[in-house]
Amino acid sequence: MAKDMTLLWGSGSAPCWRVQIMLEEKKLQGYDQKLLSFEKMEHKSQEVLDINPRGQLPSFKHGNIIVNESYGVCFYLESQFKNQGTKLIPDDTDQQALMYQRMFEGLTFYDKVRERHDSAVKRNKEALETELKLWEGYLQKLGAGSYLAGPSFTLADVVVFPTVGILFRFGLSAQRYPKLGEYYGLVKERPSVKASWPPHWVEDPKGDEDTLKDL
């Protein structure tokens, strides 16, 4: 099944990482994949445009079916392979509702992280601090060892963890945000996350640790 799948992706991109984690969780290894460089503008190549006319990564194809938005790919794979690998949508109504809430809040969270390099640094820093305190509070309420929607790893974790991973890559303090630090430590040990860890982070583990160290 996975042999019929193609993924064009970029290292360190949260949307790409979501799809890679999802494929690992659903036991869909062995798909055709190609790592492209954002710096070299390879995401604007004809190879990408043939699948994704927006010229963005990820670009994903399963047989003749194309789904390029990362949330869409995750829902598609869970729907098509719900009896394979990890079950990522809980049956429990409360947990399911919380999962959907955190999933889509994750889009706002990611937007705040993406803004860290904008010119309005002070305004964006304050917005990101507010956002971080919100997620810190969510995890505090759920208690130690919890995932974003409760005791089980769900779609919310698949789509939001890459944002958390980027924050700690850029030096977020686990002492200042202990619940996010605990969550990061928990999820980064999952086989799906280890298998999809951005390759340039492996090559350069320190990365940009100074960017968010004072946040």
Side-chain angles (χ1 to χ4, degrees):
M1 286 175 285
K3 289 179 181 175
D4 294 337
M5 296 177 180
T6 299
L7 176 66
L8 307 179
W9 61 285
S11 181
S13 154
C16 294
W17 200 2
R18 290 168 191 151
V19 175
Q20 291 174 299
I21 293 172
M22 188 72 193
L23 287 161
E24 291 291 329
E25 291 287 344
K26 299 313 289 185
K27 306 295 182 193
L28 292 165
Q29 296 93 347
Y31 55 90
D32 183 33
Q33 59 171 304
K34 189 169 184 180
L35 172 59
L36 301 176
S37 167
F38 290 109
E39 288 75 20
K40 295 176 183 175
M41 298 296 289
E42 289 177 347
H43 55 298
K44 300 298 182 185
S45 66
Q46 194 58 50
E47 181 179 20
V48 174
L49 292 169
D50 286 344
I51 301 176
N52 189 342
R54 292 184 182 276
Q56 295 173 340
L57 301 177
S59 295
F60 178 78
K61 191 173 182 183
H62 179 204
N64 294 319
I65 296 166
I66 291 172
V67 189
N68 292 317
E69 293 297 325
S70 61
Y71 272 52
V73 179
C74 291
F75 275 120
Y76 171 77
L77 292 173
E78 180 62 20
S79 173
Q80 294 301 307
F81 301 98
K82 59 186 171 186
N83 297 320
Q84 182 170 318
T86 310
K87 179 182 173 67
L88 292 163
I89 298 179
D91 290 327
D92 180 85
T93 305
D94 290 347
Q95 285 182 35
Q96 191 179 117
L98 185 57
M99 180 209 76
Y100 284 123
Q101 177 63 33
R102 295 292 176 260
M103 268 192 86
F104 287 94
E105 276 189 279
L107 291 167
T108 303
F109 192 15
Y110 179 55
D111 283 343
K112 294 289 192 301
V113 173
R114 282 203 307 179
E115 290 170 2
R116 67 181 179 268
H117 293 313
D118 284 1
S119 56
V121 173
K122 187 174 179 187
R123 186 195 72 223
N124 293 333
K125 183 182 175 186
E126 287 170 359
L128 182 51
E129 281 178 344
T130 301
E131 191 71 22
L132 286 165
K133 286 172 185 171
L134 197 61
W135 289 87
E136 185 75 5
Y138 291 157
L139 288 163
Q140 174 80 43
K141 190 175 178 182
L142 287 167
S146 179
Y147 295 100
L148 291 177
S152 301
F153 184 86
T154 69
L155 277 178
D157 302 290
V158 172
V159 301
V160 177
F161 176 77
T163 299
V164 176
I166 288 168
L167 285 164
F168 282 99
R169 168 73 176 179
F170 280 84
L172 190 72
S173 168
Q175 273 130 1
R176 211 165 290 130
Y177 300 97
K179 293 303 172 187
L180 277 164
E182 185 182 297
Y183 173 74
Y184 172 69
L186 173 69
V187 180
K188 77 173 186 177
E189 296 305 317
R190 283 187 78 81
S192 63
V193 174
K194 285 184 168 182
S196 57
W197 201 256
H200 78 278
W201 294 9
V202 176
E203 292 164 15
D204 178 17
K206 294 290 184 185
D208 303 287
E209 284 185 346
D210 292 340
T211 309
L212 297 177
K213 68 176 184 180
D214 298 322
L215 194 67

